[in-house]
Amino acid sequence: MSLSFPGGSDLELLEQMIRQAEDVMRGLADVQAGIRQVTGEGVGADGLVRARADGRGQVTMITLDPRVMRLDAAVLSAEVTKAIRVAQDAAKERTDKLVAAAQTRVTGLAAPLDEMFVRHRFDQLAQELDAGADAFGPHAADRVDDLEQDAERAAQIEAWLEDGQREIEAVTGHGRAADGRIQAVTTAYGQVREVVIEPRAMRLPSRTVAEELLLALRRAQQDAERQSRQLVSDALREMAPGESFGPDTIDEWFGGLLKPFERPD
């Protein structure tokens, strides 16, 4: 029995798919390179507070003018939070434009990589294997069963993705620095929800406060990422009990769920 694709030989189709895949990979590489160059900046307290974020939403710089230490701790906390959010929003806007351009390029692919076409080939293969089970021998039925199990698992995964996205959106990461005098709360996407600078921290030099703020933010983002990875890991093991999922599998799922910011390697 020969399995053939519509519109040409299997070899011709394979060559076309390879060319398209290579084109997509080149485009994604260009996007990732562009994202690495993205920065967003935000200010607060009439320019006395400045923040910078990169294309992944990471806060890369905070500067505090020494005069800002005269402010009330609660006011400074609010101004720092505002500056960081503006910086992250600006970086996200630029990143979104790059990602949208890449998605337009991918959705413009021809039929060989179209979702409907892939589903057609999967169904056709399953039917042909089922019809020819006797000719292939006892192991052919096992292959059909494997395909059906894979399809069922794919449906479970698809159903979980929406719920999983909501669960991850509810995650909050917490980070502390300066002996607990500075605290930060972020989402799973690294976006800052709140920065708290206690009055005791106002005795520190402005440069030290800025450094400790970055440390608290980094710890909060790491905490949120750890929780999100655990959610993905637990979901995979629940849908496929007894199977082993390595870090690469977890990373692939985790990266697919965190859409607001691309996460280049």
Side-chain angles (χ1 to χ4, degrees), residues 156-169:
Q156 292 176 339
I157 290 172
E158 185 175 357
W160 180 84
L161 284 175
E162 184 174 348
D163 291 336
Q165 186 74 41
R166 285 196 292 266
E167 289 182 32
I168 287 180
E169 287 174 352

Side-chain angles (χ1 to χ4, degrees), residues 241-258:
E243 294 196 18
S244 176
F245 295 99
D248 290 343
T249 303
I250 303 299
D251 285 346
E252 182 179 352
W253 272 59
F254 180 68
L257 287 168
L258 300 189

Side-chain angles (χ1 to χ4, degrees), residues 49-67:
V49 176
R50 295 185 177 275
R52 180 180 299 159
D54 64 17
R56 298 172 298 166
Q58 302 294 314
V59 180
T60 59
M61 184 194 74
I62 295 176
T63 59
L64 302 177
D65 187 290
R67 291 174 292 174

Side-chain angles (χ1 to χ4, degrees), residues 18-36:
I18 290 174
R19 287 194 299 272
Q20 290 181 345
E22 289 174 344
D23 184 55
V24 170
M25 293 305 295
R26 281 193 296 270
L28 292 178
D30 291 342
V31 170
Q32 288 193 332
I35 290 173
R36 291 189 182 99

Side-chain angles (χ1 to χ4, degrees), residues 43-49 68 71 75-76 79-80 82-83:
V43 299
D46 296 325
L48 298 180
V49 176
V68 85
L71 296 176
V75 173
L76 180 57
E79 292 298 319
V80 169
K82 180 179 73 173

Side-chain angles (χ1 to χ4, degrees), residues 197-212:
I197 303 172
E198 295 186 359
R200 295 178 300 154
M202 302 300 288
R203 305 169 189 166
L204 299 172
S206 59
R207 183 173 180 176
T208 300
V209 173
E211 292 172 349
E212 294 298 311

Side-chain angles (χ1 to χ4, degrees), residues 186-223:
T186 69
T187 69
Y189 308 112
Q191 295 168 304
V192 173
R193 284 192 171 179
E194 183 183 26
V195 169
V196 176
I197 303 172
E198 295 186 359
R200 295 178 300 154
M202 302 300 288
R203 305 169 189 166
L204 299 172
S206 59
R207 183 173 180 176
T208 300
V209 173
E211 292 172 349
E212 294 298 311
L213 279 166
L214 283 174
L215 179 59
L217 287 166
R218 185 163 60 249
R219 287 172 174 172
Q221 290 170 331
Q222 290 172 346
D223 179 48

